[in-house]
Amino acid sequence: AQTVTQSQPEMSVQEAETVTLSCTYDTSESDYYLFWYKQPPSRQMILVIRQEAYKQQNATENRFSVNFQKAAKSFSLKISDSQLGDAAMYFCAYRSAQTGTASKLTFGTGTRLQVTL
Amino acid sequence: DGGITQSPKYLFRKEGQNVTLSCEQNLNHDAMYWYRQDPGQGLRLIYYSQIVNDFQKGDIAEGYSVSREKKESFPLTVTSAQKNPTAFYLCASRAGAGEQYFGPGTRLTVT
């Protein structure tokens, strides 16, 4: 079974600064997807970024980028130029690419990000 | 607008009562999922359905039941057999090999 670990329960960053959230995972599969979801105080889960394991290039979405280290099974999220609206819980998630797995997501326990002025 | 709706946003029940949480989507997605979220924990999968009239247990299905009679709807019943039903419940749907999109959630409190 796959597991996802987020070892930072809380992080803090000043507005306009850069912060990196860590995520490690354990799997015996070679093909899979990794995601970062954001959950603001409204508790709506919002997809931030997605990485396909077979792609070596790190995914980027505007101010959000990942550092995907497949051999180390590490998947960190970097938020640049942090904004007050980035304050939220961030969840790392894993999804197998194998058929028959129904695209189920396995989540980490989350990192609460505070953004200060 | 296309999306996923969950109702109600807050739900209160007495211990021993069954309660049904609604999840409706108009995205024409085949697959639907139910997750439970507790403080300090990530989301855990309760049940999922890949097609109408078919569903499978997730990691924590005990004390829950579902039905999938229509593509648009995937209601979750929390039965009296669920020992710790108070939690935040999230419904999601997915089209093909695409991403899961989540509803706004229902906060269930059982006293």
Side-chain angles (χ1 to χ4, degrees), chain A residues 9-68:
Chain A
E10 291 190 9
M11 293 283 286
S12 183
V13 63
Q14 282 193 322
E15 198 177 17
E17 297 297 308
T18 295
V19 65
T20 298
L21 309 184
S22 301
C23 172
T24 59
Y25 58 95
D26 189 26
T27 184
S28 58
E29 298 175 339
S30 59
D31 197 13
Y32 48 87
Y33 302 91
L34 295 164
F35 306 88
W36 280 98
Y37 280 89
K38 170 184 177 180
Q39 188 179 44
S42 67
R43 304 198 77 172
Q44 175 80 50
M45 293 288 283
I46 302 164
L47 177 64
V48 175
I49 200 164
R50 151 191 167 142
Q51 175 76 44
E52 293 153 354
Y54 64 86
K55 289 188 177 178
Q56 292 187 340
Q57 186 173 5
N58 289 325
T60 62
E61 286 289 342
N62 300 314
R63 297 182 295 107
F64 298 87
S65 61
V66 298
N67 184 6
F68 173 49

Side-chain angles (χ1 to χ4, degrees), chain A residues 102, chain B residues 30-33 47-57 66-71 73-74:
Chain B
D30 290 314
M32 297 185 75
Y33 305 79
Y47 266 98
Y48 63 98
S49 168
Q50 297 190 78
I51 197 169
V52 174
N53 292 323
D54 186 54
F55 48 83
Q56 284 79 40
K57 292 181 179 179
V66 294
S67 63
R68 187 84 188 277
E69 297 176 1
K70 299 186 300 182
K71 189 175 186 176
S73 179
F74 190 41

Side-chain angles (χ1 to χ4, degrees), chain A residues 35 39 44 50 95 102-103 108, chain B residues 33 37 42 97-100 102:
Chain A
F35 306 88
Q39 188 179 44
Q44 175 80 50
R50 151 191 167 142
R95 187 184 103 194
S103 295
Chain B
Y33 305 79
Q37 185 177 20
E99 310 315 323
Q100 288 190 26
F102 286 83

